[in-house]
Amino acid sequence: MTQDRPREREEHVMSMGRPPRNRRELLRKLVWIGVWLVFLSSPVQDLAAGRHTPTGTAAGWLGLATFVGAYTALVFRNMGRPFARTVVVALICFLAVLAIVLCLTLGGAWLGLFCYVSVACGATLSVRTAYWAIPATAAVMMLVGWRTDIEVAENLVLLVLLIGFAMSGVGQLVRTTVELRQARATVAQLAANEERLRLARDLHDLLGHSLSLITLKSELAGRMLPGRPDQAAQQVADIEQVSRQALVDVREAVTGYRRPRLAAELAGAQVALTAAGVSPELPAEPDLTAVPEESESAL
């Protein structure tokens, strides 16, 4: 069980940067995004307290819903199939402008929206771009705080910086994971191609001489007929012997390539069970150093 835990952690990490394949992964990604919505408590309380006119309250709810929708779409798509770079930059600018407008019109309780702008910068922009975009977000929040509530802005500035750079690290991890998955797929494809080439070379070495000998003896037997039937029959017998030996060699070669391995069978069983919705608990990989190949095939 102790060796299964690193494998489970690897599967969890490898799911990052990949579109959700089932409801469980979809729910996990939604929870990961939704946990950050805790900073909306202040704007919601501000709207629920009735401090604004009915028109202002309605506009506030509409602006808040638009902000959350744009933020969720941007971050959720970035965890699977990201938007184009121009769309990402446009959405971040839209979130920043909307946060500024809501803060200036509804008060300092809405300064927490800049936390989401910082998260969006860290999660979707490149590391080099995020390094200046996140401090710029904090600076804009401070400027807006001078007009609304400087004390709230000072309390949030460190959080805006830390949460933005933390998400930048997570975004870099996602990109590295995607690149690692692509590299593994390339290596697996190259290994499969190399195995095919090796099998082709082995079969050529096994059959080349035998087929050449069969062709030569077939031509010789044809020339001996009908004048020397006894010698022709001997050539035909040699052809039969050579072909049988070639068949035995090919079977041995193919059997060696197709010999089942216990580790590979366990891995295949795990993949099949996981695809069927079953969570298998496999034992540690056994040490089969002293076990004969025939016994391992039987296992």
Side-chain angles (χ1 to χ4, degrees):
M1 295 298 296
T2 56
Q3 294 186 6
D4 289 340
R5 292 175 182 174
R7 184 183 302 171
E8 293 175 359
R9 288 196 295 267
E10 180 181 0
E11 290 296 329
H12 175 70
V13 172
M14 291 300 290
S15 65
M16 298 175 63
R18 175 184 296 171
R21 295 166 295 180
N22 49 51
R23 293 183 179 179
R24 183 177 181 180
E25 291 189 2
L26 177 61
L27 180 61
R28 182 186 302 170
K29 291 182 182 293
L30 288 176
V31 170
W32 168 253
I33 297 174
V35 69
W36 300 104
L37 298 181
V38 64
F39 297 106
L40 295 178
S41 58
S42 295
V44 171
Q45 291 177 0
D46 181 66
L47 292 175
R51 299 189 184 96
H52 309 287
T53 63
T55 303
T57 301
W61 283 115
L62 179 60
L64 184 61
T66 304
F67 185 92
V68 172
Y71 165 81
T72 305
L74 176 61
V75 178
F76 185 80
R77 279 290 298 267
N78 185 71
M79 300 177 72
R81 290 181 286 269
F83 288 113
R85 180 177 177 83
T86 54
V87 178
V88 170
V89 174
L91 285 175
I92 291 177
C93 294
F94 173 75
L95 291 175
V97 171
L98 186 58
I100 294 173
V101 172
L102 291 174
C103 289
L104 292 178
T105 55
L106 299 176
W110 293 71
L111 289 171
L113 297 181
F114 285 96
C115 294
Y116 298 97
V117 179
S118 180
V119 168
C121 292
T124 60
L125 298 178
S126 63
V127 177
R128 180 178 300 180
T129 306
Y131 278 169
W132 64 263
I134 294 171
T137 301
V140 172
M141 184 193 67
M142 290 299 298
L143 292 176
V144 176
W146 282 106
R147 298 290 304 271
T148 56
D149 193 331
I150 188 59
E151 183 177 356
V152 175
E154 291 175 349
N155 293 334
L156 288 176
V157 63
L158 183 60
L159 179 61
V160 168
L161 292 173
L162 291 179
I163 199 172
F165 286 119
M167 288 305 300
S168 179
V170 173
Q172 182 64 21
L173 176 61
V174 171
R175 287 186 287 269
T176 303
T177 302
V178 173
E179 294 174 358
L180 176 60
R181 187 183 301 119
Q182 294 174 350
R184 285 185 174 182
T186 302
V187 170
Q189 183 63 34
L190 292 176
N193 292 338
E194 182 63 26
E195 188 70 12
R196 295 189 188 98
L197 291 175
R198 187 158 67 101
L199 178 58
R201 288 193 299 267
D202 290 349
L203 290 177
H204 179 271
D205 295 339
L206 288 173
L207 296 178
H209 174 71
S210 299
L211 292 177
S212 299
L213 186 58
I214 290 173
T215 302
L216 180 61
K217 286 184 171 293
S218 299
E219 293 177 354
L220 184 58
R223 293 175 182 176
M224 290 179 178
L225 291 175
R228 291 176 287 176
D230 295 338
Q231 296 180 4
Q234 181 61 41
Q235 296 298 326
V236 172
D238 292 342
I239 292 173
E240 180 182 0
Q241 182 181 0
V242 172
S243 62
R244 288 184 182 276
Q245 184 60 41
L247 182 60
V248 170
D249 293 340
V250 170
R251 284 178 176 174
E252 290 180 353
V254 175
T255 301
Y257 277 103
R258 297 182 60 188
R259 186 178 300 277
R261 302 295 180 182
L262 183 59
E265 296 299 323
L266 288 175
Q270 183 183 18
V271 172
L273 290 172
T274 303
V278 180
S279 299
E281 294 184 3
L282 299 180
E285 184 174 342
D287 185 10
L288 302 175
T289 304
V291 178
E293 293 184 352
E294 292 76 9
S295 301
E296 183 182 356
S297 298
L299 291 175

